[in-house]
Amino acid sequence: MKKQLIIMALLLLAACQKPDPGVDPNGNQPTDTTDTIVKKYLVKEYYAEAPAQPVRVIEWNEDFTQIMHIATDSNTYYQVDYSFEYYGEDSMRVVLSTPTNSSAGLLFSEYLCHFDETGKISSIDYFLNSSYQQTESYCYDLSGKLESVVDEAHNCGIRFVWDGDNVCETCDVQTGETERRFGDFSEHLHPDCTMPYLLPDGNTYNFWYLTEPLWKNWYNYAANMQYEYDEDGFVICSYCLDEQGEKTAIKKYDYAKQPIFKNKLR
């Protein structure tokens, strides 16, 4: 009788145990419960007709957590180099320089980015030949999206209007007027979507931003513009169509790929 009670208890225990999601219930080999998510990082942007004079060349560290160097307009008279130095998790220094034959003009020679407790830029101090120039504050909304970049001392700056994960407008902080609009977002990924920070370029020849994590998705900026994308959804080429439907490649984008293994099990 005691032996029968033990057997019944073991059978009941086995019935109550949850099956292992990684094991086939029929006793076959364990199923693969991991998924490979591919994350890519822009390393080169260039015009299709001038691959030897890239718009940007970006060098990353081994795990793509830090940018080490960026060169813009390489092998032209407007080349600017940006070298990055990191001071733990507190700040990052970006030093601007030009080759001896460059005609590029610089608004500042270096800037120091201060990070908040979440790792986002809280402010940037600008210097010209070691002389302090100004400070810009980076402000975020409750969801963590960049809301504005403001130079409070000079009452100037830019405000960003978001549509989901994409900036759809930029506005002047002082006047409130819209400066630029963006729209017609696609499902495919913008080349700058994995950039860690919004950084100024400081080049008087083409002043805007050096890195632009303002859009997750690609946007079409002209009616005759189209694009191509790779197997992971990253845009690799923009091109225009003529009246006969012929393609002319405009810009191309090259990436480095980092596989990230994510377990499906909960």
Side-chain angles (χ1 to χ4, degrees), residues 51-117:
Q53 298 176 331
V55 177
R56 286 184 295 176
V57 176
I58 304 168
E59 298 175 16
W60 299 80
N61 65 347
E62 290 185 0
D63 61 0
F64 299 96
T65 57
Q66 295 178 344
I67 296 174
M68 307 310 296
H69 184 267
I70 297 179
T72 58
D73 299 308
S74 296
N75 306 316
T76 74
Y77 289 115
Y78 303 102
Q79 178 172 332
V80 179
D81 291 283
Y82 304 81
S83 299
F84 292 71
E85 300 176 13
Y86 296 85
Y87 306 102
E89 299 180 354
D90 296 327
S91 57
M92 173 183 70
R93 180 171 175 251
V94 182
V95 178
L96 288 68
S97 62
T98 59
T100 54
N101 63 341
S102 176
S103 299
L106 300 179
L107 294 173
F108 34 82
S109 54
E110 64 181 88
Y111 53 86
L112 184 65
C113 304
H114 302 277
F115 300 142
D116 62 20
E117 63 278 1

Side-chain angles (χ1 to χ4, degrees), residues 1-265:
M1 181 66 178
K2 184 177 180 180
K3 184 177 180 181
Q4 290 177 336
L5 290 174
I6 292 174
I7 293 174
M8 291 178 63
L10 291 173
L11 291 173
L12 181 61
L13 179 62
C16 293
Q17 286 180 336
K18 294 181 179 179
D20 184 349
V23 177
D24 189 298
N26 296 321
N28 298 324
Q29 292 295 323
T31 57
D32 184 6
T33 61
T34 59
D35 188 17
T36 302
I37 298 175
V38 174
K39 198 169 186 180
K40 292 184 174 179
Y41 299 85
L42 182 66
V43 295
K44 187 177 180 181
E45 172 188 359
Y46 55 98
Y47 285 101
E49 74 278 7
Q53 298 176 331
V55 177
R56 286 184 295 176
V57 176
I58 304 168
E59 298 175 16
W60 299 80
N61 65 347
E62 290 185 0
D63 61 0
F64 299 96
T65 57
Q66 295 178 344
I67 296 174
M68 307 310 296
H69 184 267
I70 297 179
T72 58
D73 299 308
S74 296
N75 306 316
T76 74
Y77 289 115
Y78 303 102
Q79 178 172 332
V80 179
D81 291 283
Y82 304 81
S83 299
F84 292 71
E85 300 176 13
Y86 296 85
Y87 306 102
E89 299 180 354
D90 296 327
S91 57
M92 173 183 70
R93 180 171 175 251
V94 182
V95 178
L96 288 68
S97 62
T98 59
T100 54
N101 63 341
S102 176
S103 299
L106 300 179
L107 294 173
F108 34 82
S109 54
E110 64 181 88
Y111 53 86
L112 184 65
C113 304
H114 302 277
F115 300 142
D116 62 20
E117 63 278 1
T118 67
K120 293 184 174 68
I121 292 177
S122 59
S123 63
I124 298 181
D125 299 327
Y126 295 91
F127 300 85
L128 180 60
N129 300 325
S130 301
S131 177
Y132 169 79
Q133 301 295 302
Q134 65 190 70
T135 295
E136 285 185 333
S137 298
Y138 277 47
C139 304
Y140 302 86
D141 62 19
L142 294 177
S143 66
K145 289 185 172 65
L146 183 61
E147 195 169 46
S148 62
V149 176
V150 181
D151 178 356
E152 296 178 355
H154 298 91
N155 190 28
C156 61
I158 186 171
R159 183 171 64 87
F160 302 98
V161 180
W162 292 80
D163 177 10
D165 292 323
N166 302 293
V167 166
C168 59
E169 288 185 12
T170 61
C171 305
D172 183 271
V173 167
Q174 187 177 28
T175 65
E177 295 181 356
T178 298
E179 296 179 336
R180 302 176 70 180
R181 286 190 173 92
F182 309 91
D184 193 18
F185 295 102
S186 74
E187 63 178 321
H188 301 106
L189 300 173
H190 191 279
D192 277 47
C193 69
T194 51
M195 292 291 179
Y197 313 111
L198 178 71
L199 298 174
D201 64 7
N203 188 342
T204 58
Y205 171 68
N206 186 28
F207 180 71
W208 177 235
Y209 283 103
L210 179 64
T211 54
E212 302 175 322
L214 300 174
W215 310 281
K216 176 183 179 182
N217 305 104
W218 180 262
Y219 62 89
N220 288 326
Y221 48 89
N224 66 333
M225 294 295 297
Q226 301 292 329
Y227 65 94
E228 297 175 356
Y229 55 92
D230 63 15
E231 69 279 2
D232 299 305
F234 285 80
V235 170
I236 56 174
C237 179
S238 63
Y239 61 88
C240 63
L241 293 174
D242 61 19
E243 294 179 354
Q244 289 73 40
E246 295 293 327
K247 293 182 180 180
T248 300
I250 306 299
K251 270 189 180 182
K252 293 189 175 183
Y253 305 90
D254 295 342
Y255 302 88
K257 183 164 61 173
Q258 180 190 46
I260 300 175
F261 299 98
K262 181 179 180 181
N263 200 313
K264 291 181 180 179
L265 297 180

